[in-house]
Amino acid sequence: MKFTDYKYEHMDIEALQEQLKAICSKLQNAASYAEFKNAFIELNDVNKYINTNQTLVDIRHTVDTRDEYYTQENDFLNEMLPVLKEDIVNCNKAVMASTFVSELRKEVPETYFLQREMEEKSFDPIIIPEMQEENKLASKYQAIIASAQIEFDGETYTLAALEVKTNDKDRDTRKRAMQAYWGWYDEHAKEIGEVYDQLVQVRTRMAKKLGYENYIELGYYRMMRFDYNKEDVENYRKQVLEDVVPLDNELYARQQKRLGYDTLHAWDEKFEFTSGNPAPKYSREELVKRALKMYQELDPKTGEFFEFMTERELLDLDSKPGKAAGGYCTFIPNYQSPFIFANFNQTSHDAEVLTHEAGHAFQVYSSKDIFPIDCVWPTYESCEIHSMSMEFFTYPWMKSFFEEDVDKYYFNHLSGAVKFLPYGVLVDHFQHEVYENPEMSCEERLATWRKLEKQYLPQKNYEGIDILEKGGWWMRQLHIFMDPFYYIDYTLAQVCALQFWARIQKKDEKAFEDYKHICKIGGTLPFRKIVKEAGLKVPFESGCLKDTVQLVREWFENADDSQF
């Protein structure tokens, strides 16, 4: 069966509500554990049905935001899913209140019950109107970004396609492309700023209605942060400033010297080598073929997984008009299928999609049979360990993508991994400032970003791009709009992935077995326990970041980039 044959059903919300009410009654009135368990299985089946149809709409809407049918269905679900959530939560409360819950705890992962605790703290029917408004605003942001049509050198580009030109070998082309790219954001800054302001206000109203001082605590509960808190994150941010920013400053200085520039401008940062950045040598079709061979050789399980993905056409990789920005991996429960969405742009990003998003997909493929459906995925920071680590485990096969530029790719990829950490922390810090001060104006938010940016990314030189000097970079970061506080997760996972990288360097044969193990256990454990199961150090632990960064520093000290 191909993805195009996967059937979407417009959901009858009233019928589902009645079904959920009946399940709730069965859970409350069960005379035996067997009756209770059967009702719990029914609830799981309904969750899978809802999730399947929601995911199919998400995919088909983002693949083409101009498709009227799926735009309407997306709008419909934005309205109705918060309504359904009330009935689902009532069922979940009935599970937790049952005299049989102690028996269920023997069969169901601990994270299921942790999720119910977080749900209790983050949802009440009184916030349904705000949830509906939040969904609409997030979709509005996606539509604005997807609508971009930018004229550059006689051709029309989407934002994703124009990014290729910002990495061009010719410095003047990079400069003009970046000015055109950010010129579009400058023209739409008021519109984007207003959408974000409305999102901040609606999320703040949610928090106030639920009795919280601001959105931050509610945001952590909604993100299902089981075993770390705001204080852990604040301490982690300090370690990034102390241990990572100095190394990154050295790498930027080394890059400037390598390029022979007096000044490293914003349009130079993604351009690492005078000979040009490494880019895959082949078309999208050929890259997918080579990725299939790579996964078949890496491990029988990864080979089986990627064969499934290609045979069912579960990858949508080409950038095209009307397609939403970014990339993601999702899961369609009733078809037990991961799905990878991306915007290929003929840069090394394309190879990273086939490793990063495939890491997510391999994890959920490995854990697809976990019961209940709530525990198939782990929380986001754990999910990103699978994706970022897969980027490193596939290093031996990158020659078949980059050929003679493979060493250049390794240098570029590893430096990108550590250069990313302060940026990821900046995105998180910015959101804490925004939600602590929701009354800030759009201009004050811009200024806040720029102030923090100077701490975490002191090398930034925005001469010639006014919107960035004002603090506008955050407007391109989809997560800030769509998934508040989902970004520190990437950095925590990157620190874990770098530990896997270090084990690979030491030829630790158990590294990939540990990786497969944490993929298989899916979301059955919270973050800290998953990290321990992988044989890694938790990033919050004192000295973890310092030790990890030191190993990376040593690699760069021994790397000869003069040949590039």
Side-chain angles (χ1 to χ4, degrees), residues 22 26 35 99 109 219 276 292 294 312 407 442 444 479 503 562:
K26 290 178 186 178
E35 283 184 23
T99 55
L292 174 58
M294 171 178 76
R312 292 203 173 201
D407 288 333
C442 294
E444 287 172 325
H479 303 71
R503 291 174 66 181
S562 63

Side-chain angles (χ1 to χ4, degrees), residues 530-556:
I530 286 175
V531 175
K532 293 294 186 185
E533 287 285 317
L536 308 173
K537 287 184 184 176
V538 176
F540 302 121
E541 288 180 11
S542 179
C544 173
L545 212 49
K546 189 180 290 292
D547 293 345
T548 303
V549 168
Q550 182 55 35
L551 290 168
V552 176
R553 184 189 294 276
E554 289 170 7
W555 187 91
F556 279 111

Side-chain angles (χ1 to χ4, degrees), residues 61 281 303 328 525:
H61 174 61
K281 304 294 185 181
Y328 62 77
L525 294 174

Side-chain angles (χ1 to χ4, degrees), residues 204-401:
T204 300
R205 284 203 305 277
M206 279 187 209
K208 298 282 189 186
K209 279 189 173 184
L210 294 177
Y212 300 113
E213 181 181 353
N214 57 44
Y215 181 74
I216 295 172
E217 190 173 3
L218 174 59
Y220 272 54
Y221 291 143
R222 291 179 92 192
M223 285 293 295
M224 300 284 171
R225 301 230 155 118
F226 299 142
D227 56 1
Y228 64 96
N229 56 29
K230 180 171 171 276
E231 287 68 38
D232 289 320
V233 171
E234 286 173 355
N235 183 53
Y236 172 73
R237 289 201 300 249
K238 289 176 187 172
Q239 292 183 66
V240 170
L241 280 170
E242 291 170 6
D243 299 320
V244 184
V245 172
L247 172 60
D248 286 353
N249 288 341
E250 292 171 24
L251 289 173
Y252 283 116
R254 187 166 169 174
Q255 178 185 359
Q256 181 181 329
K257 181 181 178 183
R258 189 166 62 242
L259 295 173
Y261 295 160
D262 293 333
T263 304
L264 198 68
H265 286 278
W267 50 82
D268 297 322
E269 282 191 15
K270 295 296 183 184
F271 185 68
E272 290 279 354
F273 313 104
T274 55
S275 57
N277 281 1
K281 304 294 185 181
Y282 303 101
S283 66
R284 186 257 304 159
E285 293 88 349
E286 183 62 26
L287 288 175
V288 172
K289 283 182 188 174
R290 288 171 182 249
L292 174 58
K293 185 173 186 290
M294 171 178 76
Y295 285 118
Q296 288 168 334
E297 292 177 356
L298 173 60
D299 187 86
K301 290 301 291 183
T302 54
E304 171 196 307
F305 142 73
F306 208 73
E307 286 165 17
F308 178 88
M309 297 293 290
T310 53
E311 286 168 5
R312 292 203 173 201
E313 298 177 356
L314 294 164
L315 304 98
D316 193 293
L317 305 174
D318 294 320
S319 178
K320 50 204 170 198
K323 189 172 183 179
Y328 62 77
C329 171
T330 189
F331 181 62
I332 311 161
N334 282 353
Y335 294 96
Q336 290 202 306
S337 297
F339 186 92
I340 292 174
F341 170 100
N343 282 277
F344 269 26
N345 58 12
Q346 298 83 54
T347 70
S348 59
H349 159 269
D350 298 350
E352 286 157 19
V353 164
L354 289 171
T355 54
H356 181 100
E357 299 302 345
H360 285 308
F362 177 65
Q363 176 263 299
V364 76
Y365 181 84
S366 301
S367 61
K368 63 184 184 295
D369 295 320
I370 288 173
F371 175 84
I373 186 66
D374 310 62
C375 301
V376 167
W377 288 110
T379 46
Y380 286 140
E381 71 293 289
S382 301
C383 281
E384 298 302 339
I385 298 174
H386 310 119
S387 57
M388 291 177 159
S389 299
M390 184 63 90
E391 295 178 36
F392 291 121
F393 281 115
T394 52
Y395 263 22
W397 289 269
M398 286 299 103
K399 190 175 192 312
S400 70
F401 288 41

Side-chain angles (χ1 to χ4, degrees), residues 46-193:
V46 173
N47 278 330
K48 286 170 67 177
Y49 172 79
I50 293 169
N51 197 305
T52 294
N53 287 298
Q54 178 188 358
T55 303
L56 287 170
V57 168
D58 286 344
I59 293 169
R60 289 171 178 159
H61 174 61
T62 52
V63 164
D64 186 359
T65 59
R66 303 167 304 178
D67 184 305
E68 289 185 14
Y69 176 74
Y70 283 107
T71 296
Q72 289 171 358
E73 291 301 288
N74 185 62
D75 292 343
F76 169 73
L77 292 180
N78 282 345
E79 281 284 327
M80 300 316 302
L81 287 176
V83 175
L84 267 183
K85 185 171 176 69
E86 180 179 359
D87 296 290
I88 294 168
V89 168
N90 286 337
C91 287
N92 291 339
K93 286 179 178 177
V95 170
M96 297 300 283
S98 173
T99 55
F100 299 112
V101 73
S102 58
E103 290 183 65
L104 188 68
R105 285 183 184 274
K106 297 172 186 174
E107 295 190 56
V108 170
E110 63 175 298
T111 46
Y112 173 80
F113 302 97
L114 291 170
Q115 286 176 35
R116 302 292 73 81
E117 290 173 22
M118 296 290 179
E119 191 174 69
E120 182 76 23
K121 294 173 179 176
S122 63
F123 177 79
D124 187 282
I126 59 173
I127 66 167
I128 287 176
E130 283 76 20
M131 292 173 69
Q132 291 170 326
E133 187 179 348
E134 180 186 33
N135 287 341
K136 288 179 186 174
L137 289 165
S139 292
K140 184 176 180 180
Y141 171 76
Q142 274 193 307
I144 292 169
I145 300 303
S147 73
Q149 295 284 287
I150 305 166
E151 296 298 320
F152 182 74
D153 284 356
E155 294 188 39
T156 303
Y157 293 84
T158 63
L159 286 165
L162 188 56
E163 276 198 75
V164 181
K165 295 293 183 183
T166 67
N167 294 331
D168 197 271
K169 190 174 177 180
D170 179 73
R171 197 179 193 191
D172 181 64
T173 300
R174 294 201 304 273
K175 177 180 177 180
R176 291 185 299 103
M178 198 161 191
Q179 288 173 330
Y181 182 97
W182 285 105
W184 183 90
Y185 274 98
D186 203 358
E187 289 170 14
H188 293 81
K190 187 173 186 295
E191 183 181 13
I192 294 171

